[in-house]
Amino acid sequence: MKMLSLFGATGSIGDSTLKLVDEHSDRFSVSVMTAHSNYEKLAQLALKYQPSLVVIADSQYEAALATCLRGTSIQVASGVDALCEAARMPVDCVVAGIVGFAGLMPVRAAVEAGQTIALANKETLVAAGHLIMPLAAVSGATLLPVDSEHNAIAQCLVGARDEDIDKIVLTASGGPFRALSRAEMHHATKEQALLHPNWSMGQKITIDSATMMNKGLELIEAAWLFGLGSNRLEALIHPQSIIHGLVSYCDGSWLAHMGPADMRVPLSYALGHPDRLAWQAEPLDLAQIARLDFQPVCLEQFPCFGMAKSIIGTDPADAVTLNAANEMAVHHFLSGEIPFGEIAEQVDTILSEKRLGSANSFDDILALDQEVRKSARSAV
Ligand code: NAD
Ligand code: MG
């Protein structure tokens, strides 16, 4: 029996994880579940999965959550410190499914505690890969990538020696605006931007997929996970989302990972690790799919991708800035304050201004993130 703690239990990664738990209730139990503010869904999940602890990040909902769980033995807590404490509770696997920068501190706590972490929250490595990776090396924490491309590449790298690797390639669907020019997508509506062709995910990552910031963030994530510079990292648009990642080796061999576009594929790899976890995956009918297409990412069409790629290997403060500016711009778009096309402009403006702080420590990163958000708010 493996014990899991599930951070972001009410989100899309949370849903996919719990579907696997349902299929393997004899192999997994959930001992911690967390959410941001949806206390009703968290309470429902807690009643079904009976964790020993639930944490709601927004403290104003703690009392309501406790009321829903009255009469049970489930402990209720709230706030960021409680999330971090929960991340240190020893389990077999911590599933890091919180979205955005908010995922950083719980992941840091889990890494410090030497846990095995199924890492979906890419923003952690974007903002703090330079601190998280050395911390994991010291604590002995294991990071199992759940982002589908990174999981694919990790699978293609099993048994590889560093010196044998030529480069790694992440694929991208191209999102809903793959065939549009920048001018054509400028005034895209929220509904259009949220209509991802291949994946069903939370709102933030879906908008990031439409701007292709997501693929830029993923290159930064890959740089930290696999220890490669930007000259050995590439992204390729592959509209069918069947191949998720590729590794090119020094001898001319390429290994590619294929699978249906379902997050249970990478999640099952991380949850089952080091074993393979069987589940009722949709079969991949290659004869039916018939063709796989590829095209380069156009930087003029998708400037967010270029901005993110350009800061790999620069001062880590740039990545904190890019990440915070992007989270704010996506928020402004989703709340109707700016058109779609201005997401890239807002991020570019903030990234081009003078640095608002440093990223030498976690405290620096938290302070810089706040400064960038303040600056982004005042710009709207
Ligand atoms: P989501 O919006 O569906 O769910 C986010 C979860 O995080 C929710 O449970 C929410 O309550 C919680 N949360 C939000 N803000 C919080 C805060 N301030 N404090 C504490 N908890 C908070 O998002 P998602 O699509 O599940 O994505 C989660 C992470 O996984 C993201 O980093 C995303 O990039 C990554 N990821 C997701 C997918 C996918 O298929 N959904 C694929 C690859 C990577
Ligand atoms: Mg991905």
Side-chain angles (χ1 to χ4, degrees), residues 53-207:
L53 170 67
V54 290
V55 183
I56 189 100
D58 189 333
S59 298
Q60 67 174 306
Y61 301 106
E62 181 179 342
L65 178 61
T67 304
C68 297
L69 296 176
R70 191 176 294 151
T72 71
S73 59
I74 302 167
Q75 199 191 328
V76 176
S78 72
V80 177
D81 290 345
L83 279 178
C84 293
E85 205 173 308
R88 284 186 213 103
M89 269 177 54
V91 286
D92 296 298
C93 185
V94 176
V95 179
I98 291 178
V99 61
F101 187 80
L104 171 61
M105 295 317 272
V107 172
R108 174 202 178 180
V111 170
E112 272 173 348
Q115 306 256 41
T116 294
I117 301 155
L119 185 69
N121 178 268
K122 67 192 79 190
E123 294 87 351
T124 286
L125 289 180
V126 170
H130 60 298
L131 302 179
I132 291 286
M133 296 310 289
L135 198 58
V138 171
S139 72
T142 303
L143 293 175
L144 299 168
V146 167
D147 211 347
S148 55
E149 300 75 6
H150 306 72
N151 185 272
I153 288 160
Q155 295 198 40
C156 294
L157 285 173
V158 170
R161 295 180 309 177
D162 281 352
E163 60 269 31
D164 296 341
I165 303 160
D166 170 31
K167 64 178 176 193
I168 67 177
V169 182
L170 285 68
T171 61
S173 69
F177 306 142
R178 178 172 55 86
L180 300 188
S181 70
R182 217 167 138 189
E184 286 167 332
M185 69 177 96
H186 189 84
H187 287 290
T189 64
K190 182 174 152 177
E191 289 68 30
Q192 290 166 327
L194 285 173
L195 211 65
H196 196 284
N198 303 353
W199 296 92
S200 158
M201 310 179 285
Q203 289 203 339
K204 192 262 181 185
I205 182 175
T206 305
I207 300 304

